[in-house]
Amino acid sequence: MMKFLLIGMVSLVIGACATHESRPMPWADVAKDGKETSVSPSKTTSKTTSTSSMTTVKTSISVGPNDLRTLEKMDKALEGFVLRNETKIFTSLCKEKRFDCYVGDVLYPKTKKKVSRKVPPYASGSKMGLQGENRIQARYDFYP
């Protein structure tokens, strides 16, 4: 009895899927290549949109293995600065022009000037901790 019931349900599902009418989805009106298509029961029309008015500027950021090693050093130096109060390595890395370092929302080291950049940072990091009674938040932005 269970076999017949199971076979009947499977045949109904297969039959329903076979007779399903295929309709275009509403978000599929614009094709990926810039052509807009409209489908009607009797004919298909297409018109192309001009992309000459659109200009795209791509900025590629190339990061090499040396940059990745420097980024790992900065992560370790940031952790050492916040947790163990080791300032030497963190300060030397923050003096580089590729890093913008902040301690308590103030540029670090104090003698460094803010550099204006047109590209977003490749990587950034932040660490918070206590040094005695003082709360420290140190962060950096890395520009290759």
Side-chain angles (χ1 to χ4, degrees), residues 28-88:
D29 289 340
V30 178
K32 290 183 179 179
D33 59 353
K35 293 181 180 180
E36 183 177 323
T37 60
S38 60
V39 178
S40 63
S42 62
K43 63 179 179 177
T44 302
T45 61
S46 67
K47 59 182 176 180
T48 60
T49 59
S50 70
T51 58
S52 62
S53 63
M54 301 171 77
T55 58
T56 56
V57 177
K58 279 193 172 181
T59 306
S60 63
I61 298 175
S62 60
V63 178
N66 291 336
D67 292 332
L68 294 175
R69 276 186 246 128
T70 306
L71 190 58
E72 288 175 11
K73 282 184 191 176
M74 178 52 104
D75 285 335
K76 290 178 183 176
L78 180 67
E79 185 175 322
F81 178 77
V82 172
L83 299 178
R84 295 180 297 274
N85 200 16
E86 298 171 355
T87 61
K88 184 178 178 183

Side-chain angles (χ1 to χ4, degrees), residues 11-37:
S11 63
L12 283 174
V13 169
I14 291 174
C17 291
T19 60
H20 178 69
E21 181 181 333
S22 176
R23 296 178 291 181
M25 298 296 165
W27 58 84
D29 289 340
V30 178
K32 290 183 179 179
D33 59 353
K35 293 181 180 180
E36 183 177 323
T37 60

Side-chain angles (χ1 to χ4, degrees), residues 71-127:
L71 190 58
E72 288 175 11
K73 282 184 191 176
M74 178 52 104
D75 285 335
K76 290 178 183 176
L78 180 67
E79 185 175 322
F81 178 77
V82 172
L83 299 178
R84 295 180 297 274
N85 200 16
E86 298 171 355
T87 61
K88 184 178 178 183
I89 300 170
F90 183 68
T91 304
S92 66
L93 285 172
C94 285
K95 287 182 181 178
E96 288 187 27
K97 65 179 183 176
R98 297 183 290 177
F99 288 104
D100 285 343
C101 299
Y102 301 92
V103 174
D105 292 330
V106 178
L107 196 61
Y108 182 85
K110 294 179 183 179
T111 58
K112 187 175 179 179
K113 294 183 180 179
K114 176 75 175 162
V115 178
S116 62
R117 296 182 171 93
K118 295 179 182 176
V119 295
Y122 168 71
S124 61
S126 177
K127 186 79 75 178

